[in-house]
Amino acid sequence: MSRVKRCPTCGQTKSTDEFYHNRAQYDGVDNQCKICKCTYYQSYMKTYSQRPKCKARHRLYRRLLRLDCLAGVSQLQCCCAVCGESDLKLLVIHHQQGNGIEHRDKSGHSHLYWLSIVRSNFDRLKYQVLCDSCHRQWHKRQPITN
């Protein structure tokens, strides 16, 4: 003899054969009936299957924005002004007037930081492209003062 259970999603009382097995539940069957579970899963997949594509697009946008900014500051050369390193992953923008901390506090550490530099019309007197190593060496010689 088959038992019956009420599905909280559709509100119908159905046979337990119309529910998926779930050993974690006290009665051994899932809370939602098979039809409601499938409907939920399909809507979930429609919504969240697009997320990786959006993330990849946003990641590409940030990389292109950073590249655009580096190219503008370094006059389209995209290399370290000291040693000539050209690996884009190692390049950073150095604030020559020592206001980097203030600038980052205003714009944050997100892509807005890069946008704020791009929108500043690449004032080359304020910024310089350095590799991470040269940037660290510069700050060792010139301690940051607040």
Side-chain angles (χ1 to χ4, degrees):
M1 186 169 112
S2 139
R3 299 175 303 170
V4 292
K5 184 173 180 171
R6 182 179 171 278
C7 173
T9 307
C10 63
Q12 296 180 2
T13 304
K14 299 181 177 183
S15 166
T16 53
D17 295 337
E18 296 182 51
F19 291 83
Y20 288 111
H21 293 283
N22 185 347
R23 284 194 264 175
Q25 296 294 324
Y26 70 95
D27 57 358
V29 292
D30 211 349
N31 286 333
Q32 293 178 312
C33 66
K34 290 180 180 179
I35 295 171
C36 292
K37 191 77 160 182
C38 288
T39 306
Y40 169 77
Y41 184 72
Q42 287 171 352
S43 68
Y44 176 86
M45 288 309 292
K46 280 182 186 176
T47 304
Y48 292 101
S49 65
Q50 299 297 320
R51 274 189 139 174
K53 294 176 188 173
C54 293
K55 282 185 175 181
R57 232 183 355 254
H58 188 66
R59 194 177 308 119
L60 177 64
Y61 165 74
R62 286 193 323 258
R63 284 182 186 157
L64 290 174
L65 182 61
R66 182 175 185 270
L67 178 62
D68 199 23
C69 184
L70 287 169
V73 171
S74 65
Q75 300 175 356
L76 302 176
Q77 294 173 359
C78 283
C79 62
C80 176
V82 178
C83 68
E85 174 67 56
S86 61
D87 186 359
L88 294 176
K89 292 179 183 175
L90 301 176
L91 297 180
V92 295
I93 292 181
H94 169 67
H95 292 74
Q96 290 187 351
Q97 296 174 347
N99 63 347
I101 294 171
E102 297 167 17
H103 193 225
R104 277 190 304 275
D105 286 346
K106 286 181 194 171
S107 57
H109 291 278
S110 66
H111 67 280
L112 296 175
Y113 173 68
W114 297 104
L115 270 177
S116 65
I117 293 174
V118 170
R119 289 186 180 148
S120 69
N121 298 321
F122 300 123
D123 187 354
R124 287 172 187 85
L125 297 175
K126 291 183 181 178
Y127 309 109
Q128 184 179 30
V129 174
L130 298 175
C131 69
D132 194 43
S133 177
C134 293
H135 192 235
R136 270 189 261 129
Q137 287 175 3
W138 190 91
H139 279 289
K140 282 181 183 176
R141 288 187 306 243
Q142 305 287 331
I144 300 171
T145 57
N146 288 334

